[in-house]
Amino acid sequence: AQVAVRAMSSSGGPGSPYTSLAISQPAEFITHVELNRPEKRNAMNKAFWSEMVDCFNAIAGDPDCRVVVVSGAGKLFTAGIDLMDMASDVLQPEGDDMARTSWNMRRIIAKYQDTFSVIEKCPKPVVVAVHGACVGGGVDLITACDIRLCTQDAWFQVKEVDIGLAADVGTLQRLPKVIGSRSLVNELALTARKMYADEAKSSGLVSRVFADKEAMLAGALEIAGEIAGRSPVAVQGTKVNLIYSRDHSVAEGLDYMATWNMSMLQTADVMKSAQASMEKKSPKSIVFSKL
Ligand SMILES: CCC/C=C/C=C/C(=O)SCCNC(=O)CCNC(=O)[C@H](O)C(C)(C)COP(=O)(O)OP(=O)(O)OC[C@H]1O[C@@H](n2cnc3c(N)ncnc32)[C@H](O)[C@@H]1OP(=O)(O)O
């Protein structure tokens, strides 16, 4: 996995294992994953749905990556699922009878769900930076990320009802956990109305709004740098436990945490970090072992 991530540095061109993504390493321990079909508004084609899984599995196992930034190339973040590819893949499951066809359809949907669940399962935090439109599958994608940023011109649309389906790859499950108002989630999902940057910020979908894409990417890299400079044991344990706690009771979360830290507290990172803190040094001055 590690080799795959290294090999794909500055990809998108010859030698890259990906056709829909461009991967680079803008700074030590930071991986930038760019949705890279700008001429098709980064519409999520067949290649994209499987390449994201390969890419994030590789990132999960790469000790030289501690944090990921995701953004879109070109005019906007993404136009959602590729409507041209959709007909041939999702809408034509094979099977000798209804049971078998349905079974195959279920398998296809589960595979599509993996494309974004892999982001959540990756222990490295993922910062997503949205400019322009974020449509349909784009909302599924960003709700699986850990930190969401956008530009002032960004808009978000749970578009699925407009194309005749209930969103089935994460939005309906994760968006209610991201923004506090159930009523707002219902309104967005049932009407497919666009939500603009200011409302995205006030509702809690994004934590920061930037004037333009350049400022946003600089901001994303700054946040990523703060994360990458801290103990990977602490950071990855924090992500895993935050997600666990979101889906469990407080008592279950505390129990899981105790089990997690009974081993993870036995790390040199605690002593190194505590010492730096006593000496009023930044954690970024510490050299942590790779994880
Ligand atoms: C089990 C499956 C689970 C997944 C479900 C996911 C569901 C969804 O994602 S629902 C949402 C589907 N997306 C859409 O309905 C958006 C369609 N696109 C647009 O509305 C506009 O393109 C957009 C507002 C995003 C941008 O407009 P702009 O004027 O900037 O660009 P266009 O001139 O429209 O497009 C430029 C070229 O890109 C192609 N393209 C855009 N979107 C898609 C798409 N979703 N699928 C395929 N291709 C797309 C467009 O055809 C143009 O191509 P070309 O004519 O060759 O230049």
Side-chain angles (χ1 to χ4, degrees):
Q2 194 183 337
V3 175
V5 174
R6 292 278 72 77
M8 68 197 183
S9 276
S10 307
S11 72
S16 165
Y18 304 125
T19 58
S20 68
L21 304 172
I23 315 297
S24 58
Q25 192 183 35
E28 197 181 15
F29 299 123
I30 302 176
T31 300
H32 184 189
V33 177
E34 202 177 19
L35 314 189
N36 193 33
R37 293 180 74 220
E39 71 291 349
K40 296 289 179 190
R41 304 295 180 259
N42 301 321
M44 299 165 166
N45 63 353
K46 251 185 190 175
F48 168 87
W49 292 96
S50 61
E51 288 177 0
M52 281 288 283
V53 176
D54 295 343
C55 175
F56 273 88
N57 281 336
I59 284 170
D62 179 10
D64 287 317
C65 172
R66 293 184 184 169
V67 58
V68 184
V69 173
V70 175
S71 68
K75 187 179 168 186
L76 50 82
F77 182 67
T78 177
I81 195 168
D82 189 309
L83 296 168
M84 300 302 179
D85 275 12
M86 188 175 161
S88 63
D89 198 16
V90 183
L91 300 182
Q92 290 177 345
E94 291 175 0
D96 291 342
D97 58 23
M98 193 188 284
R100 288 169 179 80
T101 309
S102 301
W103 195 256
N104 284 334
M105 185 59 134
R106 190 180 204 291
R107 191 181 46 76
I108 291 168
I109 295 167
K111 198 187 90 191
Y112 275 69
Q113 290 174 342
D114 284 347
T115 294
F116 304 133
S117 294
V118 76
I119 297 174
E120 204 170 76
K121 285 180 190 150
C122 174
K124 324 287 167 80
V126 180
V127 181
V128 68
V130 176
H131 72 293
C134 176
V135 183
V139 180
D140 295 281
L141 188 162
I142 67 165
T143 54
C145 297
D146 303 292
I147 297 172
R148 284 168 292 278
L149 314 173
C150 77
T151 52
Q152 194 62 58
D153 75 351
W155 52 272
F156 304 82
Q157 190 175 23
V158 184
K159 177 85 172 158
E160 280 81 346
V161 289
D162 276 355
I163 63 161
L165 56 94
D168 52 3
V169 289
T171 291
L172 301 185
Q173 293 67 40
R174 295 191 178 101
L175 191 59
K177 312 237 183 203
V178 170
I179 62 184
S181 165
R182 199 83 203 189
S183 178
L184 178 58
V185 171
N186 296 345
E187 183 195 330
L188 295 171
L190 294 169
T191 68
R193 84 156 161 87
K194 293 178 183 176
M195 179 162 82
Y196 293 91
D198 289 345
E199 192 183 4
K201 172 78 164 55
S202 65
S203 70
L205 178 61
V206 300
S207 50
R208 293 200 210 174
V209 179
F210 294 85
D212 54 35
K213 187 178 178 187
E214 196 185 348
M216 175 178 65
L217 287 178
L221 287 177
E222 196 184 323
I223 293 170
E226 291 297 326
I227 295 168
R230 287 172 164 75
S231 156
V233 173
V235 165
Q236 293 179 37
T238 299
K239 171 166 176 171
V240 169
N241 278 277
L242 278 170
I243 289 174
Y244 186 90
S245 291
R246 183 197 65 187
D247 298 335
H248 293 81
S249 70
V250 171
E252 287 163 342
L254 287 169
D255 196 44
Y256 191 74
M257 189 77 247
T259 306
W260 184 273
N261 262 359
M262 74 189 195
S263 46
M264 292 302 146
L265 280 179
Q266 300 183 59
T267 169
D269 294 15
V270 171
M271 285 306 291
K272 285 182 186 175
S273 303
Q275 192 175 343
S277 184
M278 292 296 288
E279 292 169 3
K280 299 190 169 31
K281 288 183 186 158
S282 163
K284 289 194 264 183
S285 64
I286 306 167
V287 176
F288 295 107
S289 296
K290 289 186 178 175
L291 182 67

Short mmCIF file of all heavy atoms in Angstrom, two decimals, residues 44 49 77-81 116 133-143 155-161 163 165 167 169-171:
data_model
loop_
_atom_site.label_atom_id
_atom_site.label_comp_id
_atom_site.label_asym_id
_atom_site.label_seq_id
_atom_site.Cartn_x
_atom_site.Cartn_y
_atom_site.Cartn_z
N MET A 44 -18.41 11.80 -11.09
CA MET A 44 -17.86 10.56 -10.52
C MET A 44 -18.15 9.39 -11.46
O MET A 44 -19.22 8.77 -11.42
CB MET A 44 -18.51 10.33 -9.15
CG MET A 44 -18.21 11.47 -8.18
SD MET A 44 -19.30 11.42 -6.74
CE MET A 44 -18.43 12.56 -5.65
N TRP A 49 -15.22 5.60 -8.70
CA TRP A 49 -15.81 4.86 -7.59
C TRP A 49 -14.87 3.78 -7.07
O TRP A 49 -14.85 3.49 -5.87
CB TRP A 49 -17.17 4.25 -8.00
CG TRP A 49 -18.22 5.31 -8.25
CD1 TRP A 49 -18.56 5.85 -9.45
CD2 TRP A 49 -19.02 5.98 -7.26
NE1 TRP A 49 -19.53 6.82 -9.27
CE2 TRP A 49 -19.84 6.91 -7.95
CE3 TRP A 49 -19.14 5.89 -5.88
CZ2 TRP A 49 -20.76 7.74 -7.29
CZ3 TRP A 49 -20.06 6.72 -5.21
CH2 TRP A 49 -20.85 7.62 -5.93
N PHE A 77 -16.14 21.76 -7.36
CA PHE A 77 -15.71 20.56 -6.61
C PHE A 77 -16.16 19.29 -7.33
O PHE A 77 -15.36 18.50 -7.79
CB PHE A 77 -16.26 20.63 -5.18
CG PHE A 77 -15.84 19.47 -4.32
CD1 PHE A 77 -14.52 19.30 -3.96
CD2 PHE A 77 -16.78 18.55 -3.87
CE1 PHE A 77 -14.12 18.21 -3.17
CE2 PHE A 77 -16.40 17.47 -3.08
CZ PHE A 77 -15.07 17.30 -2.73
N THR A 78 -17.47 19.08 -7.45
CA THR A 78 -17.95 17.93 -8.23
C THR A 78 -19.42 18.07 -8.61
O THR A 78 -20.23 18.62 -7.84
CB THR A 78 -17.75 16.58 -7.50
OG1 THR A 78 -18.32 15.53 -8.29
CG2 THR A 78 -18.43 16.55 -6.14
N ALA A 79 -19.74 17.53 -9.79
CA ALA A 79 -21.13 17.49 -10.29
C ALA A 79 -21.82 16.21 -9.87
O ALA A 79 -22.91 15.90 -10.38
CB ALA A 79 -21.14 17.63 -11.80
N GLY A 80 -21.21 15.44 -8.96
CA GLY A 80 -21.85 14.21 -8.48
C GLY A 80 -21.64 13.04 -9.43
O GLY A 80 -20.71 13.04 -10.24
N ILE A 81 -22.52 12.06 -9.33
CA ILE A 81 -22.32 10.84 -10.12
C ILE A 81 -22.31 11.18 -11.61
O ILE A 81 -23.03 12.07 -12.06
CB ILE A 81 -23.42 9.79 -9.80
CG1 ILE A 81 -23.00 8.41 -10.33
CG2 ILE A 81 -24.77 10.21 -10.37
CD1 ILE A 81 -23.88 7.27 -9.80
N PHE A 116 -17.13 5.98 -0.17
CA PHE A 116 -17.03 7.06 0.81
C PHE A 116 -16.79 6.53 2.22
O PHE A 116 -16.13 7.19 3.02
CB PHE A 116 -18.27 7.95 0.73
CG PHE A 116 -18.48 8.51 -0.65
CD1 PHE A 116 -19.72 8.47 -1.27
CD2 PHE A 116 -17.42 9.05 -1.36
CE1 PHE A 116 -19.90 8.96 -2.56
CE2 PHE A 116 -17.58 9.54 -2.65
CZ PHE A 116 -18.82 9.49 -3.25
N ALA A 133 -19.65 24.21 -7.09
CA ALA A 133 -20.73 23.26 -6.80
C ALA A 133 -20.25 21.98 -6.11
O ALA A 133 -19.17 21.48 -6.41
CB ALA A 133 -21.42 22.89 -8.11
N CYS A 134 -21.09 21.49 -5.22
CA CYS A 134 -20.89 20.19 -4.59
C CYS A 134 -22.25 19.49 -4.66
O CYS A 134 -23.14 19.76 -3.83
CB CYS A 134 -20.41 20.36 -3.15
SG CYS A 134 -20.26 18.80 -2.25
N VAL A 135 -22.42 18.65 -5.66
CA VAL A 135 -23.75 18.13 -6.01
C VAL A 135 -23.83 16.62 -5.75
O VAL A 135 -22.88 15.88 -6.00
CB VAL A 135 -24.03 18.38 -7.52
CG1 VAL A 135 -25.44 17.93 -7.90
CG2 VAL A 135 -23.85 19.86 -7.87
N GLY A 136 -25.00 16.18 -5.29
CA GLY A 136 -25.29 14.75 -5.18
C GLY A 136 -24.22 13.96 -4.45
O GLY A 136 -24.01 14.15 -3.24
N GLY A 137 -23.52 13.09 -5.17
CA GLY A 137 -22.45 12.28 -4.58
C GLY A 137 -21.40 13.11 -3.88
O GLY A 137 -20.70 12.60 -2.98
N GLY A 138 -21.28 14.38 -4.26
CA GLY A 138 -20.32 15.26 -3.59
C GLY A 138 -20.69 15.45 -2.12
O GLY A 138 -19.82 15.50 -1.24
N VAL A 139 -21.99 15.55 -1.85
CA VAL A 139 -22.42 15.71 -0.45
C VAL A 139 -22.18 14.40 0.31
O VAL A 139 -21.75 14.40 1.47
CB VAL A 139 -23.90 16.15 -0.37
CG1 VAL A 139 -24.34 16.31 1.08
CG2 VAL A 139 -24.10 17.46 -1.14
N ASP A 140 -22.43 13.26 -0.36
CA ASP A 140 -22.10 11.97 0.27
C ASP A 140 -20.63 11.94 0.65
O ASP A 140 -20.26 11.51 1.74
CB ASP A 140 -22.38 10.82 -0.71
CG ASP A 140 -23.86 10.66 -1.05
OD1 ASP A 140 -24.60 10.10 -0.24
OD2 ASP A 140 -24.27 11.13 -2.13
N LEU A 141 -19.78 12.40 -0.28
CA LEU A 141 -18.33 12.38 -0.04
C LEU A 141 -17.95 13.25 1.16
O LEU A 141 -17.27 12.80 2.08
CB LEU A 141 -17.60 12.84 -1.31
CG LEU A 141 -16.09 12.73 -1.37
CD1 LEU A 141 -15.62 12.82 -2.83
CD2 LEU A 141 -15.34 13.75 -0.55
N ILE A 142 -18.42 14.50 1.15
CA ILE A 142 -17.91 15.43 2.17
C ILE A 142 -18.42 15.09 3.57
O ILE A 142 -17.76 15.39 4.56
CB ILE A 142 -18.22 16.91 1.83
CG1 ILE A 142 -19.72 17.19 1.86
CG2 ILE A 142 -17.58 17.29 0.49
CD1 ILE A 142 -20.04 18.69 1.89
N THR A 143 -19.60 14.43 3.64
CA THR A 143 -20.09 14.10 4.98
C THR A 143 -19.28 12.97 5.61
O THR A 143 -19.36 12.74 6.81
CB THR A 143 -21.59 13.71 4.98
OG1 THR A 143 -21.81 12.67 4.03
CG2 THR A 143 -22.47 14.91 4.65
N TRP A 155 -21.71 26.01 -3.25
CA TRP A 155 -23.09 25.60 -2.94
C TRP A 155 -23.18 24.08 -2.91
O TRP A 155 -22.41 23.37 -3.54
CB TRP A 155 -24.11 26.21 -3.89
CG TRP A 155 -23.88 26.06 -5.36
CD1 TRP A 155 -23.16 26.90 -6.16
CD2 TRP A 155 -24.38 25.02 -6.23
NE1 TRP A 155 -23.18 26.45 -7.46
CE2 TRP A 155 -23.92 25.30 -7.54
CE3 TRP A 155 -25.18 23.90 -6.03
CZ2 TRP A 155 -24.23 24.50 -8.64
CZ3 TRP A 155 -25.49 23.10 -7.14
CH2 TRP A 155 -25.02 23.40 -8.41
N PHE A 156 -24.14 23.64 -2.13
CA PHE A 156 -24.28 22.21 -1.84
C PHE A 156 -25.70 21.79 -2.20
O PHE A 156 -26.66 22.50 -1.91
CB PHE A 156 -24.03 21.96 -0.34
CG PHE A 156 -22.68 22.46 0.12
CD1 PHE A 156 -22.49 23.80 0.45
CD2 PHE A 156 -21.60 21.60 0.20
CE1 PHE A 156 -21.24 24.27 0.87
CE2 PHE A 156 -20.34 22.06 0.60
CZ PHE A 156 -20.17 23.40 0.94
N GLN A 157 -25.82 20.63 -2.82
CA GLN A 157 -27.16 20.21 -3.26
C GLN A 157 -27.31 18.69 -3.10
O GLN A 157 -26.59 17.92 -3.74
CB GLN A 157 -27.37 20.61 -4.73
CG GLN A 157 -28.79 20.44 -5.21
CD GLN A 157 -28.97 20.97 -6.64
OE1 GLN A 157 -28.02 21.08 -7.40
NE2 GLN A 157 -30.21 21.28 -6.99
N VAL A 158 -28.26 18.30 -2.26
CA VAL A 158 -28.61 16.87 -2.15
C VAL A 158 -29.58 16.62 -3.31
O VAL A 158 -30.79 16.71 -3.17
CB VAL A 158 -29.24 16.55 -0.78
CG1 VAL A 158 -29.50 15.04 -0.65
CG2 VAL A 158 -28.35 17.02 0.35
N LYS A 159 -28.99 16.29 -4.43
CA LYS A 159 -29.69 16.38 -5.72
C LYS A 159 -30.50 15.11 -6.05
O LYS A 159 -31.31 15.10 -7.00
CB LYS A 159 -28.61 16.61 -6.78
CG LYS A 159 -29.05 16.67 -8.21
CD LYS A 159 -29.51 18.04 -8.61
CE LYS A 159 -29.76 18.13 -10.11
NZ LYS A 159 -30.67 19.21 -10.45
N GLU A 160 -30.30 14.05 -5.27
CA GLU A 160 -30.78 12.73 -5.69
C GLU A 160 -32.27 12.67 -6.02
O GLU A 160 -32.67 12.03 -6.99
CB GLU A 160 -30.42 11.68 -4.63
CG GLU A 160 -28.97 11.20 -4.70
CD GLU A 160 -27.98 12.12 -4.02
OE1 GLU A 160 -28.33 13.29 -3.70
OE2 GLU A 160 -26.84 11.69 -3.80
N VAL A 161 -33.13 13.33 -5.22
CA VAL A 161 -34.57 13.23 -5.54
C VAL A 161 -34.87 13.79 -6.93
O VAL A 161 -35.81 13.34 -7.59
CB VAL A 161 -35.50 13.91 -4.49
CG1 VAL A 161 -35.54 13.13 -3.20
CG2 VAL A 161 -35.15 15.36 -4.28
N ILE A 163 -33.13 13.28 -9.51
CA ILE A 163 -32.88 12.27 -10.54
C ILE A 163 -33.61 10.96 -10.22
O ILE A 163 -33.28 9.89 -10.73
CB ILE A 163 -31.38 12.05 -10.82
CG1 ILE A 163 -30.64 11.51 -9.60
CG2 ILE A 163 -30.72 13.32 -11.30
CD1 ILE A 163 -29.31 10.86 -9.97
N LEU A 165 -34.10 9.22 -7.26
CA LEU A 165 -33.69 8.19 -6.30
C LEU A 165 -33.47 8.78 -4.92
O LEU A 165 -33.27 10.00 -4.77
CB LEU A 165 -32.43 7.45 -6.79
CG LEU A 165 -31.18 8.25 -7.13
CD1 LEU A 165 -30.23 8.33 -5.97
CD2 LEU A 165 -30.46 7.58 -8.29
N ALA A 167 -31.03 9.21 -1.91
CA ALA A 167 -29.56 9.18 -1.78
C ALA A 167 -29.15 7.94 -0.99
O ALA A 167 -29.63 7.74 0.12
CB ALA A 167 -29.10 10.45 -1.08
N VAL A 169 -25.71 6.57 -0.71
CA VAL A 169 -24.30 6.28 -0.40
C VAL A 169 -23.74 7.15 0.73
O VAL A 169 -22.56 7.43 0.78
CB VAL A 169 -23.41 6.35 -1.67
CG1 VAL A 169 -23.70 5.18 -2.59
CG2 VAL A 169 -23.58 7.65 -2.43
N GLY A 170 -24.60 7.57 1.65
CA GLY A 170 -24.07 8.19 2.87
C GLY A 170 -24.74 9.48 3.33
O GLY A 170 -24.78 9.76 4.53
N THR A 171 -25.27 10.28 2.42
CA THR A 171 -25.82 11.57 2.84
C THR A 171 -26.94 11.41 3.87
O THR A 171 -26.96 12.11 4.89
CB THR A 171 -26.35 12.35 1.61
OG1 THR A 171 -25.24 12.75 0.82
CG2 THR A 171 -27.13 13.58 2.03
#
